């Protein structure tokens, strides 16, 4: 009996383990890797035939009709009802919606398949599959065996491929990708953006030593007085290194060659926490986005990263960067290239979006409403653009569910762990326009606590709503008590009234904290010109921005920045005016052809004025 029980437990454990999440490997650019980007074979499977039998039971691992198994006909009599071959293909990375007219509105399962070769691994070497993002649910199989699954459409994940599963030639890799929306997921069923499906970011095969640096964090110690540090030119840096496996004894060597710094830190166990002083450090800021090459050496592997040093904090109603007050001249951005009607994923895409932001004289972007790809935050580091990064806890999440809270926490952790060395990121946002209730507030508060426990060197916020109330608009959402800055979305003159209502509007905040307008905006169809009293015309949007800017100029001294909605038009199934919207949210300052609308100039001039007054 005991034997029977034991074997039952063993089986249960293996079954659980096969889909258990593995800790994220960070900075994959700096690891030995083989790109698995390119053209993958696909099967569009709306009924999930490759996953379920006709009795709607999950298929067994060896079921030859399961789509993770290589379909081989035994002879000409044999019946096979699926297969992977040209021309049934989709490019990776990329969303599927933009790659075929039949997939524009598709929400469901698509199976992706490709083969890969891998040199014979040396003793102790290990192979991992890394995905930059798959929207929304991914199940990953190699040579017929399941490696694991992942939920969350905008954050990376990885799985180890057991050595005995690997061959040097023709490994059969299959990923089941499902982007169906569900009430119990993050985001939930209702959003104002396109649910682009697919393997939307890079896929890599990582070759790692037996033990390696899995994650690390390095920043100016948030507790130090930055004025004193600047005066004395002595900066305290603190951080941590997490190893994949515990060691009895080992060393991590940390070097910043440009500063002539190199230090050996002994490590035992799987975690090292360190601090050290640097002299004559050039601090990172939008005006001077100085990055230093940082090298981390462990077990024969050298990781290289480009990291800047800066301090972000609040003092009463002000936001301070490196001890000086800073005004955030921001713009909200979706991860989309409008002219090509697709998700953005590459360094070139990041450059296009951030160059537009620079042309606007912006010094900050709000990356809405989910973590964007890593190229965006790396490019922002290099270009000197501050970043607000957010998880898709958007509108009506199931705030009463612990399971949903866990999913939000997982996405929050994956976002922070991937990007906590990106100097440009100054704000982690835990959500957008969540409806006020005690249940919601405690859900959001636990996300804030989680964010702080993972990273105490950045500000935490969430985009709140405003209670429009005659001439006095009061921001008193109880969540504001827990965030570092009070951020609010306001659409005075678009969703209610007309733009000139801004003339008499007053703003009151219940908290003694910086106030940030995380959204404001109005829709206009690019190239539609009329008088300003015509909705959807470029002139109406221009008028809206003029009135908003005039109102902002009268703001009290807690006013610390804004990120209007939005840089460019983006796809949304909620936007169905047959003439002016045609499936697009038209609040972009740039239209779907990449052409700037009139309002772009209004915000650009306002930002230039602010910049030159500083
Ligand atoms: C909002 C949302 C944003 C929408 C925008 C709009 O408040 O945060 O996701 O797209 O308004 O256009 O209505």
């Amino acid at each position: 009996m005991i034997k029977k029980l034991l074997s039952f437990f063993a089986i249960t454990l293996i079954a659980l383990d096969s889909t258990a999440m593995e800790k994220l490997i960070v900075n994959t650019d700096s690891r030995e890797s083989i790109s698995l980007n390119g053209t993958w074979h696909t099967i569009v499977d709306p009924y999930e035939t490759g996953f379920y039998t006709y009795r709607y039971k999950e298929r067994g691992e060896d079921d030859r009709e399961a789509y993770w198994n290589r379909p081989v006909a035994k002879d000409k009599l044999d019946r096979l009802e699926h297969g992977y071959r040209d021309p049934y293909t989709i490019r990776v990375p990329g969303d599927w919606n933009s790659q075929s007219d039949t997939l524009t509105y598709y929400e469901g399962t698509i199976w992706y398949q490709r083969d890969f070769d891998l040199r014979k691994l040396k003793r102790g070497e290990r192979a991992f599959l890394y995905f930059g993002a798959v929207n929304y649910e991914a199940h990953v199989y190699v040579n017929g065996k399941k490696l694991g699954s992942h939920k969350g459409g905008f954050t990376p994940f990885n799985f180890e491929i057991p050595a005995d599963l690997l061959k040097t030639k023709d490994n059969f890799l299959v990923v089941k990708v499902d982007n169906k929306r569900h009430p119990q997921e993050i985001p939930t069923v209702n959003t104002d953006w396109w649910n682009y499906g697919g393997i939307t970011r890079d896929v890599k095969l990582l070759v790692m030593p037996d033990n390696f640096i899995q994650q690390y964090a390095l920043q100016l110690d948030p507790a130090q007085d930055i004025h004193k540090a600047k005066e004395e030119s002595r900066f305290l840096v603190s951080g941590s290194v997490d190893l994949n496996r515990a060691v009895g004894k080992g060393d991590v060597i940390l070097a910043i060659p440009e500063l002539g710094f190199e230090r050996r830190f002994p490590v035992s166990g799987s975690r090292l926490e360190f601090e050290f002083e640097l002299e004559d450090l050039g601090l990172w800021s939008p005006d001077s986005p100085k990055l230093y090459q940082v090298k981390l050496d462990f077990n024969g592997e050298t990781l290289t990263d480009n990291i800047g040093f800066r301090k972000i904090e609040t003092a009463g109603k002000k936001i301070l960067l490196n001890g000086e007050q800073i005004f955030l001249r921001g713009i909200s951005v979706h991860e989309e290239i409008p002219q090509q009607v697709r998700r953005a994923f590459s360094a070139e895409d990041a450059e296009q979006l951030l160059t537009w932001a620079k042309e606007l004289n912006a010094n900050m972007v709000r990356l809405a409403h989910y973590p964007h790809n890593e190229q965006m935050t790396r490019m922002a580091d290099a270009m000197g653009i501050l970043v607000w990064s957010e998880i898709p806890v958007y509108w009506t999440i199931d705030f009463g569910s612990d399971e949903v809270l866990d999913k939000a926490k997982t996405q929050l952790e994956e976002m922070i762990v991937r990007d906590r060395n990106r100097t440009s990121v100054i704000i982690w946002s835990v959500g957008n326009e969540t409806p006020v209730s005690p249940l919601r507030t405690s859900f959001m508060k636990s996300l804030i606590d989680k964010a702080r426990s993972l990273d105490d060197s950045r500000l935490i916020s969430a985009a709140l709503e405003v209670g429009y109330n005659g001439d006095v608009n009061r921001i008193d959402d109880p969540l504001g008590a827990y965030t570092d800055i009070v951020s609010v979305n306001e659409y005075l003159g678009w969703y209610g009234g007309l733009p000139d209502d801004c003339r008499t509007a007053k703003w009151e905040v219940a908290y003694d904290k910086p106030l940030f307008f995380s959204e404001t905006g109005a829709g206009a169809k690019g190239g539609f010109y009329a008088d300003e009293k015509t909705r959807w015309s470029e002139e109406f949007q221009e008028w809206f921005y003029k009135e908003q800017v005039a109102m902002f100029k009268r703001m009290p001294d807690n006013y610390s920045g804004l990120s209007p909605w939005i840089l460019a038009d983006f796809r949304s199934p909620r936007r169905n005016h047959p003439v002016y919207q045609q499936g697009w949210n038209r609040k972009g300052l740039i239209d779907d052809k990449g052409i700037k609308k009139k309002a772009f100039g209004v915000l650009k001039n306002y930002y230039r004025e602010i910049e030159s007054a500083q």
Side-chain angles (χ1 to χ4, degrees), residues 192-193 334 366 369 394-395 432-433 489 491 495 519 565 570 575 585 587:
D192 187 22
W193 69 82
H334 259 297
R366 174 184 178 208
H369 280 300
Y394 183 94
W395 292 353
N432 181 77
E433 293 183 350
N489 297 348
Y491 284 86
Y495 284 126
E519 286 178 31
W565 195 253
F570 61 97
R575 307 296 173 175
N585 184 313
K587 297 192 189 70

Side-chain angles (χ1 to χ4, degrees), residues 26-216:
V26 301
N27 192 8
T28 55
D29 276 359
S30 177
R31 322 257 180 180
E32 183 185 338
S33 72
I34 295 167
S35 170
L36 297 181
N37 292 346
T39 304
W40 291 46
H41 289 124
T42 49
I43 300 175
V44 180
D45 187 17
Y47 289 6
E48 306 200 293
T49 305
F51 202 77
Y52 297 107
T53 65
Y54 82 118
R55 293 295 185 214
Y56 211 61
K57 294 257 162 357
E58 263 188 45
R59 292 188 182 278
E61 196 161 72
D62 297 330
D63 183 339
R64 66 192 294 261
E65 297 192 40
Y67 288 7
W68 54 82
N69 283 322
R70 195 191 287 272
V72 189
K74 285 191 229 83
D75 53 38
K76 65 179 186 179
L77 241 187
D78 197 15
R79 180 183 59 86
L80 262 184
E81 300 205 44
H82 76 283
Y84 294 99
R85 64 188 300 168
D86 292 351
Y88 300 99
T89 59
I90 293 178
R91 278 186 318 279
V92 172
D95 64 84
W96 64 52
N97 313 70
S98 62
Q99 296 192 43
S100 150
D101 287 345
T102 58
L103 296 176
T104 308
Y105 290 93
Y106 185 70
E107 294 184 301
T109 284
I110 295 189
W111 296 81
Y112 283 67
Q113 185 279 331
R114 65 163 287 159
D115 290 341
F116 67 87
D117 300 342
L118 180 64
R119 67 167 170 77
K120 200 166 163 34
L121 295 182
K122 293 184 208 122
R123 231 180 120 84
E125 271 185 334
R126 299 159 68 188
F128 290 79
L129 275 170
Y130 175 89
F131 295 83
V134 174
N135 191 33
Y136 174 82
E137 183 172 344
H139 294 251
V140 180
Y141 308 83
V142 169
N143 296 331
K145 295 269 176 278
K146 185 166 189 172
L147 299 187
S149 63
H150 178 264
K151 282 184 175 185
F154 304 97
T155 44
F157 59 94
N158 44 259
F159 297 114
E160 180 162 12
I161 313 176
D164 56 4
L165 207 61
L166 270 174
K167 303 181 290 179
T168 48
K169 285 246 163 300
D170 293 334
N171 289 286
F172 190 73
L173 167 60
V174 173
V175 185
K176 175 183 186 290
V177 182
D178 181 0
N179 75 333
K180 281 194 294 297
R181 290 165 293 124
H182 296 284
Q184 299 287 310
E185 300 299 333
I186 309 273
T188 175
V189 286
N190 197 23
T191 71
D192 187 22
W193 69 82
W194 206 262
N195 181 26
Y196 288 106
I199 304 181
T200 50
R201 297 184 188 160
D202 294 333
V203 185
K204 297 174 189 183
L205 184 60
L206 305 174
V207 180
M208 313 288 284
D210 59 335
N211 196 5
F212 53 88
I213 294 176
Q214 186 116 20
Q215 302 172 355
Y216 56 92

Side-chain angles (χ1 to χ4, degrees), residues 12 49 81 353 402 438 488 525 542 575 601 606:
T12 321
T49 305
E81 300 205 44
L353 295 170
D402 288 342
V488 64
K525 173 106 165 67
E542 187 183 29
R575 307 296 173 175
Y606 176 46

